[in-house]
Amino acid sequence: MQPINLFEYEELAKNHLSQMALDYYSSGAGDEITLRDNRAAFERLKLRPRMLVDVSDRNLSTTILGQPLALPLLIAPMAFQCLAHPEGEIATAKAAAAAGVGMVLSTLATKTIEQVAEIRQHFPDALQWFQLYIHKDRSLTRTLVERAYNAGYKALCLTVDAPMLGRRERDQRNEFSLPPGLHAANLATISGLDIPHAQGESGLFTYFAQQLNPALTWDDLAWLQSICPLPLVIKGILRGDDAIRAVECGVKAIVVSNHGGRQLDSAIASLDALAEIVTAVDGKAEILMDGGIRRGTDILKALALGAKAVLIGRPILWGLAVAGKAGASHVISLLQDELSLAMALSGCAKLEDIDSSLVKSAEK
C-alpha cells in the first residue's frame, strides 16, 4: 500500500536502507535534543484560521531570487543520496524539476555537478542551486564554484554552520564510510578526495577535520563573491545579528537552519529562530528555513512567520529509498496537497494571504 504521509515513508524506508545509511540519514548530534525540537517547535505553534473566505481556487506559486516555483519548496542539500537509491541526486533532481520546486545540490553529492545539471535539458526552468563547503584548499573550492557556474546553477548556497562536523554518535559507533563504488563525486573528479574509513570514528567527521576550513569568517564572503557572479545564499543562520551582518555582506537569501539538528546540539529550533531573523532583515534579503517540516501545515506556519519558502531534507531520502524518483515525487506531491488544503482551511487563497495573524504560540 502506498504511503499517505511523510511519516509512513520514513517507516517504510527503514526496510530499504542499511543500518549505517539509516543512522547516517536520520541521526542528529549529541543527545539529539535539537533534532527532536525541530519537530516539536511546529507542534507548539498553533493555527488561527480565518472563516468565510473564497478559497475555491488556490495559488501556491512564488518566486525565489526572481525564479518561479510551483510551490514554496526546495530540496535541501543532502550528501550521499546514492546510499538511498542508485540514481541518487539525479532522481531527486528529476522529481524536483517535474514538480516545479527547487533543488540544492550538495558539495558531497554522489552524482556530479554536471550530471545533475543535465536535467535542465528536459526542464529548462528548473531551479538548481549549488551548496558549497569551503575547503582549506582554495583552488579546490574555486574549481567547484566555477563548475557550478558553468553548468548553469542559479545561486551558491554557502553552509556556514559547519566549521567542524557535529558529533553524531550513531555515525561514530558505525564507523560511517561509503560502501565500495560510492564516492563524493565532485571531489573525486578534482583531487581524488574521498571519505576515509577511520577506526572508531565517523569517516565524515575525519574528512571535515582534515579538509574543511574552520577559520572561515565574514571577510571570506567577499572572496567568494569575487570569483563568481551568482547570488550568494548562506545557510545555517540562527541569530538576528548574524542575519544583519549577512545582508551587509551582500547576501541575497538566508536559510534559517540548524543543519537538521546535526551540528550544535541544544541549538534553537529553526522555526523558533525564524521570526527574529525576518524582523532583523526587514525585507533586505529573502528568508527561507528548514528543519522538522513534515506536513503542509508546517509549511503554512513557516510562511506565516515570514519565510518565503522552506527546504525539506530527510523525507526526500525516505521517498528515494522506498521508490526512487517516484517516491521523491510522491513526497513532494503529498506536501503540495497538504499545503493547499491547509491554506483552504485557514482562509488563504494565495501565499500572500498568509501572515503572522494565523499563528499563535501554545504558551501564550
Side-chain angles (χ1 to χ4, degrees):
M1 184 177 295
Q2 190 176 47
I4 62 172
N5 60 55
L6 274 55
F7 297 104
E8 291 187 359
Y9 263 107
E10 181 174 2
E11 284 303 308
L12 277 178
K14 296 175 182 178
N15 301 323
H16 295 267
L17 294 167
S18 70
Q19 191 63 50
M20 182 180 289
L22 176 64
D23 284 345
Y24 170 69
Y25 285 154
S26 61
S27 64
D31 296 313
E32 301 187 341
I33 294 167
T34 300
L35 175 67
R36 293 189 295 274
D37 201 41
N38 272 346
R39 182 72 214 129
F42 284 102
E43 297 173 358
R44 290 192 294 266
L45 195 65
K46 307 304 177 184
L47 290 168
R48 301 174 62 244
R50 303 184 188 99
M51 300 302 157
L52 295 174
V53 177
D54 181 357
V55 291
S56 53
D57 292 309
R58 270 114 37 224
N59 184 352
L60 277 61
S61 65
T62 189
T63 61
I64 296 295
L65 298 182
Q67 192 164 359
L69 292 178
L71 66 156
L73 182 68
L74 294 87
I75 309 305
M78 295 172 288
F80 313 141
Q81 293 181 31
C82 285
L83 286 172
H85 187 273
E87 290 189 355
E89 292 84 2
I90 292 176
T92 299
K94 289 178 179 178
V101 305
M103 177 182 174
V104 190
L105 181 69
S106 172
T107 289
L108 297 176
T110 37
K111 299 293 185 181
T112 68
I113 292 167
E114 294 79 12
Q115 286 174 314
V116 173
E118 287 177 5
I119 303 307
R120 291 200 307 278
Q121 294 179 6
H122 303 285
F123 300 96
D125 295 329
L127 186 155
Q128 293 182 339
W129 295 353
F130 180 66
Q131 177 270 336
L132 182 67
Y133 287 119
I134 292 185
H135 287 65
K136 293 175 182 176
D137 182 347
R138 285 295 178 96
S139 64
L140 185 157
T141 300
R142 179 189 287 269
T143 299
L144 286 171
V145 169
E146 290 173 347
R147 287 173 60 192
Y149 176 67
N150 291 334
Y153 288 75
K154 300 301 184 184
L156 289 180
C157 182
L158 175 66
T159 296
V160 296
D161 60 4
M164 299 178 63
L165 197 70
R167 178 68 73 180
R168 305 164 193 172
E169 293 180 355
R170 288 195 247 175
D171 288 347
Q172 182 181 3
R173 189 174 298 111
N174 292 334
E175 297 181 355
F176 173 79
S177 61
L178 294 177
L182 280 192
H183 306 278
N186 292 310
L187 301 171
T189 55
I190 295 172
S191 58
L193 291 179
D194 216 338
I195 308 304
H197 181 271
Q199 191 70 32
E201 185 54 90
S202 160
L204 189 60
F205 186 91
T206 301
Y207 178 87
F208 267 60
Q210 291 174 348
Q211 303 296 337
L212 266 65
N213 184 6
L216 196 68
T217 71
W218 291 105
D219 293 338
D220 293 298
L221 300 190
W223 170 79
L224 187 58
Q225 290 167 308
S226 75
I227 65 172
C228 181
L230 293 176
L232 182 60
V233 180
I234 60 173
K235 179 178 180 291
I237 297 297
L238 293 172
R239 295 167 54 111
D241 53 357
D242 276 348
I244 291 171
R245 187 74 181 271
V247 170
E248 292 171 347
C249 290
V251 167
K252 301 304 182 186
I254 294 169
V255 182
V256 180
S257 174
N258 54 38
H259 214 109
R262 292 160 73 79
Q263 282 300 102
L264 175 65
D265 199 25
S266 292
I268 187 172
S270 299
L271 189 72
D272 290 338
L274 180 57
E276 176 190 338
I277 291 170
V278 169
T279 299
V281 168
D282 192 26
K284 297 181 180 69
E286 295 186 358
I287 306 299
L288 302 87
M289 68 86 62
D290 69 12
I293 293 161
R294 298 294 182 270
R295 288 284 189 181
T297 47
D298 299 336
I299 301 175
L300 182 68
K301 291 173 184 179
L303 298 183
L305 290 178
K308 188 81 181 291
V310 302
L311 292 81
I312 60 166
R314 292 178 177 96
I316 291 295
L317 299 173
W318 310 144
L320 281 179
V322 171
K325 173 188 172 292
S329 294
H330 191 221
V331 164
I332 297 168
S333 177
L334 287 170
L335 285 174
Q336 183 172 16
D337 291 346
E338 288 182 5
L339 175 59
S340 181
L341 178 60
M343 287 173 60
L345 296 177
S346 298
C348 299
K350 56 187 183 300
L351 298 185
E352 291 78 11
D353 297 333
I354 301 171
D355 60 32
S356 60
S357 72
L358 285 177
V359 292
K360 182 177 181 179
S361 172
E363 285 82 14
K364 295 180 181 178

